[in-house]
Amino acid sequence: MNVLVINCGSSSVKYQVIDTKTGRALVKGKVERIGEGDTTHASAVAKVLEDTQAFEPATVGHRVVHGGERFYDATLIDDEVIQAIEANIPLAPLHNPANLAGIRSAREALPSVPHVAVFDTAFHLRMPRRAKHYAIDLEVADRLGIRRYGFHGTSHAYVAGLAAEHLERDIADLRLITLHLGNGASACAIELGGSIETSMGLTPLEGLVMGTRCGDLDPGAVLALARELGIDETDDLLNRRSGLAGLSGLGNDLRDIEAQAAEGNDRARLAITVYAHAVRRYIGAYAAVMGGVDAIVLTGGIGENSAQMRRRILQRLDFLGIRLDEDLNHDAKVSADTPVVDISEERALVRTLVVATNEELMTARQTARVAGGGTDVQSPGPVPIAISGRHVHLDRASMDVLFGAGSELTVYRNLSQPGQFAARETVTLVGPRGRIENVRVLGPLRKAPQVEISRTDEFKLGVDAPVRASGKTQGSAPITLEGPAGTLHLKEGLICAWRHIHMTPEDAEAYGVENGDQVEVAITGGDRDLTFGDVLIRVKDSYVLEMHIDTDEANAAELSKGNTGGDLLYQPPESAASASLSRKRAR
Ligand code: AMP
């Protein structure tokens, strides 16, 4: 499919027509100096359409900087979506109006093709609460929408996908730190394929040092500047006269700054060291946030091209397992044909990859998916729902500690998934704030212990459990278990289960989904209908079709008919609520 990608800025419009089958740009260009003379957004878009009409684009993808709290995926544009983008103007006063001007002109000129908005913020919208909130008065923050949104999402998602492909690993199994180092710059911690933390916040001003933007700054410094210079002057200083340009006094292009630094220019040297220092700080922080890191991905004009800067950033990080190969780093050249180059030493525990970003291609792909109706799941019928109470899986060693050497689990009742049973044995969970007794153990024994609790349980125990698919306990939270024979401190293993649907390959085919897909599930027919997003599809021959949610989730949809004591799973009667996979796959 040929997709016209439009990136409408305040003074320029960049465009490409991309054939999504080959990933190649058929034509690309830029109209500049909008706002000068007769050049308006409308006349610029008219010129874009003139240049691209020969390629007969089937759809148009528009980059939109700020999607606010609402848009977690690319979205087909209609009047209501335009209103919602307008509503986000206060959050991105420089960008969203320009993006909207492009959308309006293009829709007017090409009314018969679908137009799709692709948001810079969408990839970060599912960040955990702890990463989204600034520690300021919550009511004020909520009223004004002051929280961390993150940007460059299209680039971070794209390079993370290429890195996983290159490493021949499922992205859901990787902990990645992606560093988009261009004129704008941001870092992103990616776990289970999603952004869990990123350096830009409410606006693209926070975080790393950039070409002309300041990055992290004490809010007190902003107030001091504003008092002295006034708001507008401070805005201009922090957005356009800071960063590499402000420090070096030489403009924002690192090539010039590196050349001057080599000549002994002290401000140029200062700019380079402050820049590298900020990136290193974020690498350390994100490795800590994820409890480790499997790969560092560098992209953007600086990340892709400056071997010197990469070296400065990544030196002396061998304590994290990062080891740069000097020659590979020096020679690395990425291109459309070779978009990924590994620059780490063979023995490095963490792979360091230089990856060529291509935000336009990612935008084109997302646009094609949305405009083409995506890969809608079919709906051969509702999915039965089972509600999982808190429970524990044990391995041989933990069984020995808790219930005595050589002890065995005894069956209390069989569960719906074949071979799985609720055991008579129970343990006590002990957290820093509280205890939960009579937590049922599920059998049979597994390779590693795992404790699954709800968000409500988190508060009782005073712990912070990451949302994880079963079995993905690496780097999860610690917890203490007490059994009749002893106490066990698990360094990791405590999770909040990722809601999921078990199904056979035949079920998957019938629903049109694959193992690892994430779908939305609509709960209908009850008093409090609810659509669950991020529902993981798990496919295995031995599974029985069933969606598993925890007690909090069930309560939210009013599915629980009360906790039936030790019964772990609750199957609502046929006539009660049912779940149907009703929406597009959200990959
Ligand atoms: P981007 O916004 O991703 O296009 O990145 C643009 C920036 O990348 C430029 O302003 C330069 O600072 C930087 N850049 C591009 N090529 C090089 C290079 N060979 N060496 C150092 N910096 C570079």
Side-chain angles (χ1 to χ4, degrees):
M1 183 189 280
N2 286 356
V3 180
L4 169 59
V5 175
I6 295 183
N7 180 353
C8 208
S10 52
S11 63
S12 71
V13 178
K14 288 191 224 158
Y15 61 93
Q16 292 193 13
V17 175
I18 292 179
D19 175 355
T20 50
K21 241 196 218 142
T22 61
R24 299 277 169 196
L26 304 173
V27 60
K28 58 169 104 172
K30 191 174 180 182
V31 183
E32 292 181 283
R33 298 180 192 283
I34 292 171
E36 291 178 27
D38 296 342
T39 320
T40 60
H41 278 107
S43 68
V45 170
K47 164 96 172 72
V48 170
L49 297 179
E50 202 182 294
D51 289 356
T52 56
Q53 65 184 1
F55 301 94
E56 296 180 356
T59 172
V60 185
H62 297 266
R63 177 191 182 200
V64 179
V65 166
H66 219 306
E69 302 252 14
R70 164 159 167 193
F71 296 105
Y72 59 85
D73 199 358
T75 303
L76 201 58
I77 297 172
D78 58 19
D79 292 343
E80 197 267 327
V81 167
I82 288 185
Q83 274 172 21
I85 298 171
E86 257 172 359
N88 288 328
I89 287 177
L91 295 171
L94 299 179
H95 296 101
N96 275 22
N99 302 154
L100 278 167
I103 290 173
R104 288 205 173 95
S105 305
R107 275 182 99 210
E108 240 174 74
L110 287 175
S112 56
V113 303
H115 291 251
V116 174
V118 179
F119 299 91
D120 280 21
T121 46
F123 183 56
H124 305 295
L125 202 54
R126 291 191 177 99
M127 286 193 299
R129 276 181 353 148
R130 57 182 176 269
K132 281 184 185 170
H133 279 275
Y134 293 115
I136 59 172
D137 183 308
L138 195 56
E139 280 169 26
V140 176
D142 283 349
R143 180 159 53 82
L144 300 176
I146 308 282
R147 38 150 284 201
R148 314 190 64 247
Y149 294 94
F151 299 87
H152 286 147
T154 313
S155 177
H156 288 296
Y158 178 76
V159 296
L162 275 187
E165 235 171 68
H166 181 84
L167 298 170
E168 296 180 352
R169 297 272 302 275
D170 184 343
I171 192 164
D173 293 334
L174 288 170
R175 291 162 302 179
L176 301 170
I177 299 176
T178 50
L179 303 165
H180 179 109
L181 309 177
N183 208 9
S186 69
C188 184
I190 297 177
E191 211 174 3
L192 294 164
S195 165
I196 61 152
E197 172 69 278
T198 192
S199 59
M200 283 176 169
L202 172 72
T203 71
L205 199 51
E206 190 183 355
L208 304 177
V209 175
M210 303 177 222
T212 62
R213 284 174 252 165
C214 58
D216 290 332
L217 196 64
D218 177 356
V222 183
L223 296 175
L225 286 166
R227 266 183 223 115
E228 194 61 32
L229 306 175
I231 295 285
D232 291 343
E233 176 80 9
T234 303
D235 186 325
D236 187 61
L237 177 86
L238 299 181
N239 274 295
R240 283 175 279 278
R241 291 187 278 135
S242 297
L244 289 174
L247 283 169
S248 71
L250 295 165
N252 64 348
D253 196 317
L254 184 65
R255 283 165 289 205
D256 302 335
I257 299 168
E258 283 179 342
Q260 288 293 316
E263 300 288 315
N265 181 317
D266 192 52
R267 282 185 63 175
R269 288 182 174 178
L270 176 70
I272 289 169
T273 52
V274 172
Y275 186 99
H277 179 73
V279 183
R280 288 168 62 79
R281 257 188 7 224
Y282 273 90
I283 292 174
Y286 288 180
V289 163
M290 295 191 286
V293 53
D294 299 303
I296 307 278
V297 179
L298 296 113
T299 191
I302 293 174
E304 291 172 34
N305 297 303
S306 176
Q308 274 187 56
M309 186 56 88
R310 288 195 299 256
R311 185 165 172 277
R312 267 181 195 280
I313 291 169
L314 297 165
Q315 66 187 331
R316 291 188 300 112
L317 291 181
D318 36 326
F319 74 98
L320 281 176
I322 298 167
R323 287 174 177 276
L324 208 61
D325 182 304
E326 295 289 347
D327 294 331
L328 292 177
N329 179 44
H330 182 268
D331 297 341
K333 281 267 168 301
V334 285
S335 64
D337 293 324
T338 316
V340 184
V341 175
D342 189 333
I343 56 170
S344 25
E345 283 183 11
E346 190 117 19
R347 64 185 168 143
L349 297 174
V350 174
R351 305 323 297 170
T352 300
L353 305 175
V354 180
V355 178
T357 195
N358 192 338
E359 290 165 277
E360 293 77 15
L361 174 58
M362 188 74 171
T363 303
R365 283 188 184 148
Q366 295 192 10
T367 300
R369 172 173 58 82
V370 172
T375 37
D376 270 323
V377 296
Q378 298 124 43
S379 202
V383 179
I385 305 165
I387 302 162
S388 305
R390 64 183 80 96
H391 62 269
V392 171
H393 299 279
L394 298 177
D395 64 350
R396 184 64 259 166
S398 52
M399 187 76 198
D400 287 348
V401 174
L402 293 165
F403 294 97
S407 56
E408 291 297 341
L409 292 173
T410 51
V411 177
Y412 170 68
R413 59 176 292 230
N414 286 318
L415 301 176
S416 49
Q417 298 303 320
Q420 304 291 305
F421 62 91
R424 288 189 193 287
E425 288 70 21
T426 61
V427 294
T428 298
L429 304 184
V430 186
R433 234 186 101 201
R435 303 160 61 84
I436 301 178
E437 293 179 351
N438 297 322
V439 179
R440 200 160 290 284
V441 178
L442 293 201
L445 294 179
R446 290 190 173 184
K447 279 199 207 116
Q450 175 173 306
V451 179
E452 298 178 37
I453 60 169
S454 69
R455 285 280 182 248
T456 306
D457 294 341
E458 277 191 350
F459 289 101
K460 267 190 218 150
L461 295 167
V463 293
D464 198 2
V467 175
R468 289 285 177 83
S470 184
K472 307 272 188 219
T473 52
Q474 200 191 17
S476 59
I479 185 75
T480 299
L481 309 180
E482 284 177 5
T487 298
L488 179 69
H489 303 287
L490 294 180
K491 280 198 184 135
E492 58 183 25
L494 181 71
I495 64 170
C496 208
W498 188 345
R499 47 183 169 253
H500 56 275
I501 302 175
H502 291 279
M503 57 173 71
T504 62
E506 293 74 39
D507 294 326
E509 204 183 332
Y511 281 99
V513 295
E514 288 168 21
N515 189 43
D517 277 354
Q518 291 170 43
V519 297
E520 290 187 345
V521 175
I523 308 288
T524 54
D527 287 340
R528 299 181 83 189
D529 289 354
L530 184 65
T531 298
F532 287 113
D534 309 324
V535 182
L536 184 67
I537 299 290
R538 306 187 62 181
V539 181
K540 218 186 225 179
D541 282 329
S542 60
Y543 283 158
V544 168
L545 181 67
E546 195 168 64
M547 171 163 166
H548 285 187
I549 54 179
D550 72 16
T551 45
D552 281 359
E553 293 166 325
N555 288 342
E558 280 198 2
L559 283 171
S560 176
K561 299 280 193 296
N563 197 327
T564 48
D567 282 351
L568 194 78
L569 299 177
Y570 170 73
Q571 174 81 55
E574 291 265 293
S575 59
S578 62
S580 54
L581 275 65
S582 69
R583 298 280 294 273
K584 285 169 196 137
R585 263 195 257 171
R587 282 259 209 190

